[in-house]
Amino acid sequence: MLSVSDAQAIILNLVQPLDRQRDTEVVDLLTADSRILATPVTSPLDFPHWDNSAMDGYAVRYEDVQHSSTEQPTVLEIVEEIPAGYQPKSTIQPGQAARIFTGAVIPTGADTVVMQEKTRREENRVFILAASKPQEFVRHKASFYQAGTQLLPAGIKLNASEIAVLAAAQCPQLSVYRRPRVAIFSTGDELVTADKPLQSGQIVDSNQYALAALVRQSGAEPLILGIVKDDPVALEKVITHAIAIADIVLSSGGVSVGDYDYIDKILESLKAKIHIRAVQISPGKPLTVATFPSRDAINPTDAINRVSTNSALYFGLPGNPAAVLVTFWRFVLPAIKKLSGITEGWEPAFLKVRSHDELRSNGKRETYLWGKLHLIDGVYEFHKAGGSHSSGNLINLAQTNALAVLPVGQTLISPQEEVQVLQLSNS
């Protein structure tokens, strides 16, 4: 049985990021939020576009005002008023100034801005009441960014700040990686969808709904293949189709050692290489990870729907709902992030925080307990969710945002002791 860290290393080593030549598309800037930039961006514009004022005040020549004081103010003639968006008409001569506003173009001849709080105005004259520093409150052309150089690198997620930069740089269209496609299906004769009446012995399949939401939140596209009965022929058909059309395949259930757990046998019949069969984690021990020799070798008839020449990465997740969520957060999400084209930051983000509650495990496997992070007096504190932490108990997972981690061999973390937590974030 593999350790959690070894399993993570194997999975990330198996993931091949989307190809910059084949797996991209052009999108409008207004729809580019949360997408992954596929090519570096440059702009033909300097930032700032021209010398401009960082303050409301007066554009002056430094040599005119360098000795100004309250006792001996410098008196200058106001020759122009320059609001933002206005092109100055005057050249500032010795003894002259221009009224200027934040963001407005610095007029020719001026090299310094005196903030209005250090001045007094009388009709068309301004009294400078304090000495300025050379070039004070002047934002110089190209001091933030020089036209033609790289503005944003490839492989970053486009959030609001990046979108703002791209808009200012007049980049209305962008090349981004396509969204990874993730096929999802559940296995089990006992499963029904949420809209069906529940008969005795049946279970609502919450896994496909949860996995679809998690996949969307990760920026990928879920392909819902539904519930598959515990029938080897039906399972092989669905798996064959899934690995032909998706980058990643997620199945839940059928990977344990029961009489009706067929997944591993079917994968072997499809010539898959099974890299992981079990992980030293609780919940989530029965985890299968596999790759395939080639898509054409599996099902040439699905070639028309194929999205990539790379082999699909198969995750056979446990059937218990809590185990499905924990193994997704711990193993699948980093794989989707790396696949998506992000150049760094695939690994799960852990924090060391204070535990509010006593945390226990049997110490035999790396144990994940769900709960919520609270900010208490400026320090993050982990509050364990109430109720049972059984892998089959889904109810108390609602509204959680963190998983506390107890390493192998550690059976107790006392209240107020430090604990490592995994933040549950798809961003």
Side-chain angles (χ1 to χ4, degrees):
M1 186 164 28
L2 290 170
S3 69
V4 172
S5 59
D6 285 346
Q8 175 186 294
I10 289 171
I11 291 167
L12 289 179
N13 188 55
L14 292 172
V15 176
Q16 298 299 315
L18 295 175
D19 186 87
R20 190 177 293 182
Q21 302 301 319
R22 297 191 308 266
D23 297 319
T24 60
E25 58 190 22
V26 176
V27 298
D28 291 335
L29 184 58
L30 282 173
T31 62
D33 55 292
S34 299
R35 301 302 295 270
I36 308 302
L37 191 61
T39 56
V41 174
T42 61
S43 174
L45 301 175
D46 291 317
F47 285 86
H49 309 319
W50 44 73
D51 290 357
N52 71 89
S53 177
M55 191 70 62
D56 290 349
Y58 294 86
V60 300
R61 292 160 20 103
Y62 170 71
E63 59 187 286
D64 285 344
V65 301
Q66 58 183 315
H67 301 302
S68 302
S69 66
T70 304
E71 293 77 20
Q72 291 186 314
T74 300
V75 183
L76 302 174
E77 178 190 7
I78 302 170
V79 296
E80 189 171 16
E81 183 169 298
I82 309 172
Y86 175 83
Q87 183 60 39
K89 303 293 192 296
S90 302
T91 296
I92 303 303
Q93 304 292 342
Q96 294 181 339
R99 178 74 168 114
I100 197 166
F101 297 89
T102 303
V105 177
I106 300 293
T108 302
D111 58 14
T112 299
V113 173
V114 180
M115 61 190 300
Q116 63 187 19
E117 289 83 356
K118 295 182 179 180
T119 66
R120 185 180 79 251
R121 181 170 180 171
E122 294 181 5
E123 296 182 346
N124 69 333
R125 296 187 303 167
V126 59
F127 292 73
I128 309 300
L129 306 178
S132 298
K133 297 177 182 177
Q135 302 183 55
E136 190 170 23
F137 301 124
V138 175
R139 295 187 290 224
H140 292 283
K141 178 182 179 180
S143 59
F144 302 161
Y145 167 79
Q146 187 174 357
T149 60
Q150 181 172 285
L151 181 65
L152 292 176
I156 63 170
K157 186 176 181 180
L158 298 174
N159 294 313
S161 55
E162 289 79 21
I163 296 294
V165 168
L166 291 165
Q170 293 191 317
C171 299
Q173 293 188 315
L174 303 166
S175 176
V176 299
Y177 286 106
R178 64 170 177 81
R179 297 185 189 277
R181 302 183 74 186
V182 181
I184 301 167
F185 67 92
S186 304
T187 68
D189 292 340
E190 74 281 13
L191 299 178
V192 295
T193 55
D195 59 336
K196 299 290 193 249
L198 198 62
Q199 305 298 323
S200 177
Q202 291 184 327
I203 301 172
V204 175
D205 174 27
S206 63
N207 289 343
Q208 68 170 307
Y209 297 93
L211 289 172
L214 289 167
V215 167
R216 288 191 193 95
Q217 291 166 15
S218 74
E221 176 188 355
L223 307 176
I224 310 301
L225 303 184
I227 297 170
V228 186
K229 298 298 183 181
D230 287 323
D231 173 66
V233 175
L235 283 167
E236 182 172 338
K237 182 178 179 181
V238 170
I239 292 173
T240 300
H241 177 61
I243 62 179
I245 64 169
D247 302 295
I248 290 176
V249 179
L250 305 179
S251 68
S252 62
V255 293
S256 190
V257 291
D259 292 340
Y260 297 97
D261 294 334
Y262 301 116
I263 296 294
D264 281 12
K265 292 178 182 178
I266 294 171
L267 295 178
E268 290 171 350
S269 73
L270 294 173
K271 298 181 173 55
K273 181 176 181 180
I274 298 180
H275 303 269
I276 298 173
R277 294 180 185 271
V279 180
Q280 199 173 10
I281 187 173
S282 177
K285 174 185 172 183
L287 174 69
T288 295
V289 178
T291 53
F292 301 85
S294 76
R295 296 176 191 267
D296 286 335
I298 301 301
N299 189 354
T301 63
D302 266 314
I304 191 171
N305 296 318
R306 189 168 303 119
V307 294
S308 174
T309 58
N310 290 339
S311 172
L313 181 60
Y314 189 98
F315 287 89
L317 306 178
N320 286 323
V324 165
L325 291 173
V326 169
T327 50
F328 182 94
W329 285 318
R330 190 62 184 83
F331 300 116
V332 180
L333 182 57
I336 293 175
K337 285 183 175 181
K338 182 177 180 182
L339 174 69
S340 71
I342 294 175
T343 53
E344 60 183 4
W346 318 311
E347 298 83 359
F350 290 95
L351 293 175
K352 286 187 176 180
V353 305
R354 187 172 61 202
S355 179
H356 176 268
D357 305 296
E358 179 178 277
L359 307 177
R360 286 187 174 273
S361 81
N362 61 17
K364 294 179 181 179
R365 287 182 275 162
E366 188 166 301
T367 300
Y368 289 71
L369 302 173
W370 42 96
K372 200 165 188 177
L373 285 177
H374 293 275
L375 194 60
I376 309 295
D377 296 329
V379 177
Y380 275 113
E381 191 171 82
F382 177 79
H383 290 234
K384 178 186 172 186
S388 168
H389 279 243
S390 162
S391 61
N393 181 17
L394 182 63
I395 302 303
N396 65 347
L397 267 160
Q399 300 184 68
T400 57
N401 63 9
L403 299 173
V405 185
L406 277 71
V408 175
Q410 185 166 9
T411 59
L412 173 67
I413 292 177
S414 299
Q416 303 307 305
E417 285 188 347
E418 194 174 70
V419 63
Q420 191 176 53
V421 301
L422 172 62
Q423 288 185 287
L424 304 183
S425 171
N426 297 297
S427 61

